[in-house]
Amino acid sequence: MDAWDAIRARRNVRSYTEEPIPDADIERILEAGRRSPSARNNQHWDFVIVTDPAALHELSTVWVGAGHIAGARAAIALVIPDPPDERSKLMDQYDLGQATMAMSIAATELGVGTGHSAVGDQDKARAILAVPDDRQVAYLLGLGYPADRPLAPIRKPDRRPFDEVVHRGRW
């Protein structure tokens, strides 16, 4: 699948098959995150890959929308340092968004579905992952092969019309 097809095929997947993801594919997905753009090239992120079913089940309880993590074959926790100020926080959050999208597109190219989640209970997430107290577990990205249907370009996405979203030259 080429990049354009992967962009068009990417969707939130929250129900996964039992099929394990090869280590080489997980490494490629993580490498896509590592190579993603970063403001001032700070690269404040760390990624914790989790494949243990018991740990995935525990992680699924750190946010009301994280239930799909329990059924994932793997999850990536995206971790950043506690920000010293609001500007640093915004830059790091933006960087994590780019890393998440890069990993999601890389996963899609491999036929691996992704489903993202926020993290509400920081203390619990840090304890599960042994993350230091001066760091935040910002997001989780579940990985697995889609249980419902394979990933393929979506012909009619549920998105606002192009001409409603795109403004040329000015609003």
Side-chain angles (χ1 to χ4, degrees):
M1 182 179 305
D2 68 18
W4 181 238
D5 283 346
I7 289 167
R8 293 182 309 133
R10 194 225 57 86
R11 61 185 167 86
N12 289 330
V13 175
R14 292 192 168 87
S15 179
Y16 310 100
T17 69
E18 300 280 327
E19 184 181 349
I21 303 167
D23 289 342
D25 289 355
I26 291 174
E27 303 249 336
R28 183 170 174 159
I29 294 164
L30 290 163
E31 179 67 5
R34 189 182 75 86
R35 288 176 173 253
S36 66
S38 174
R40 296 185 185 156
N41 204 26
N42 284 330
Q43 305 174 55
H44 284 162
W45 54 59
D46 285 281
F47 307 131
V48 180
I49 184 71
V50 179
T51 57
D52 175 65
L56 291 166
H57 181 74
E58 279 190 83
L59 279 175
S60 75
T61 66
V62 300
W63 180 254
V64 69
H68 65 285
I69 299 298
R73 297 301 100 202
I76 300 168
L78 292 90
V79 180
I80 55 173
D82 284 336
D85 53 52
E86 190 63 24
R87 180 174 170 75
S88 296
K89 178 181 178 180
L90 289 173
M91 289 191 325
D92 287 348
Q93 292 290 330
Y94 190 84
D95 287 356
L96 289 183
Q98 293 188 95
T100 299
M101 193 62 179
M103 289 189 281
S104 294
I105 292 171
T108 300
E109 179 197 18
L110 298 167
V112 176
T114 58
H116 60 275
S117 172
V119 175
D121 190 337
Q122 284 295 316
D123 291 334
K124 187 172 189 178
R126 280 190 206 103
I128 294 165
L129 300 169
V131 169
D133 288 341
D134 66 342
R135 309 252 172 204
Q136 297 177 10
V137 182
Y139 304 106
L140 301 173
L141 186 63
L143 304 172
Y145 295 100
D148 57 351
R149 65 189 189 282
L151 296 167
I154 300 167
R155 305 253 180 256
K156 293 184 179 184
D158 184 15
R159 293 288 180 258
R160 292 171 43 209
F162 185 85
D163 290 337
E164 184 181 308
V165 173
V166 176
H167 307 272
R168 299 183 188 273
R170 55 189 297 183
W171 193 270

